[in-house]
Amino acid sequence: MTTVVVVRKGGTVAIASDSLVTFGDTRLAHGYEANEKLFKVGDSWVGMSGTTAHFPVLRKALSALPADELKLNSRDEVFDTFLKLHPMLKEQFFLNSKEEDADPYESSQFTALIANASGIYGVYSYREVFEFDRCWAIGAGRSFALGAMYAAWDRARSARELAELGVRAGCEFDKNSSGPVRAHTLKLKES
């Protein structure tokens, strides 16, 4: 599991993550492998949680989309992009989209956060897309990260400070999250 956060504050957005990979009860800490959970696609940073197999698949799949189909600058654009991505995940990367028999839609089996100059977004397994006004977190350490960011919101000076604080809280209290913390910031477009 993981701790990944996005924050929007003071004209900037930030995305941050921990660096631990786990295989059941085995921890592959930083120093044994690069463990980069954030990757850049176009002008966006993407972080995700879910099985380790998703990380190279999502990087490759998003990078394979033609530029005119890879749009992540609004809630609708993120939805459209991930809707186009789903058949590719099934056909080219052999995604098992089945979770439960009563599921209303096929699952993409992962959760992702996106940060770019237009804002911060979350994508969930049925391709539900949320646009966040302040901050959000995913992964096993999300509750700790959300609590820390909420508590520090008024005194924090920047989106990056809050994002790093959130991930550090996840690393402190969640057994499946560990540093070092990786963070990236972008300036928001003026609306």
Side-chain angles (χ1 to χ4, degrees):
M1 292 303 281
T2 193
T3 303
V4 180
V5 305
V6 287
V7 179
R8 178 182 180 145
K9 182 174 179 140
T12 62
V13 296
I15 187 168
S17 75
D18 75 309
S19 300
L20 178 66
V21 171
T22 58
F23 302 96
D25 291 334
T26 304
R27 294 166 44 102
L28 182 60
H30 175 74
Y32 293 95
E33 204 252 343
N35 298 348
E36 294 292 335
K37 297 180 182 181
L38 305 177
F39 58 95
K40 194 162 189 189
V41 178
D43 295 331
S44 299
W45 281 95
V46 179
M48 60 182 300
S49 67
T51 181
T52 306
H54 289 316
F55 289 85
V57 168
L58 190 60
R59 269 196 314 269
K60 290 278 192 184
L62 283 168
S63 298
L65 285 176
D68 63 329
E69 292 183 22
L70 178 62
K71 296 180 181 174
L72 302 171
N73 291 306
S74 73
R75 188 175 184 170
D76 285 341
E77 284 184 359
V78 171
F79 175 79
D80 291 342
T81 295
F82 278 81
L83 188 61
K84 290 173 188 161
L85 197 64
H86 188 72
M88 180 191 300
L89 293 172
K90 288 174 49 178
E91 294 163 15
Q92 294 179 19
F93 296 97
F94 310 106
L95 170 73
N96 178 2
S97 61
K98 183 93 165 150
E99 284 187 15
E100 304 289 330
D101 287 336
D103 285 347
Y105 298 98
E106 290 183 351
S107 172
S108 292
Q109 304 282 359
F110 60 81
T111 304
L113 293 178
I114 301 166
N116 58 44
S118 69
I120 54 177
Y121 308 93
V123 182
Y124 286 81
S125 61
Y126 299 128
R127 288 153 309 283
E128 313 100 298
V129 178
F130 296 88
E131 183 174 4
F132 304 110
D133 293 330
R134 293 173 57 149
C135 61
W136 199 247
I138 59 172
R142 72 185 166 276
S143 296
F144 305 114
L146 287 168
M149 291 186 298
Y150 174 80
W153 186 267
D154 291 332
R155 71 176 187 274
R157 296 180 307 264
S158 69
R160 185 182 188 108
E161 180 183 347
L162 280 163
E164 289 175 347
L165 175 73
V167 174
R168 283 197 316 273
C171 292
E172 183 71 22
F173 296 105
D174 172 47
K175 69 179 182 172
N176 294 310
S177 299
S178 182
V181 175
R182 307 275 196 246
H184 301 281
T185 57
L186 296 139
K187 194 163 189 60
L188 277 168
K189 282 187 219 166
E190 295 192 24
S191 43

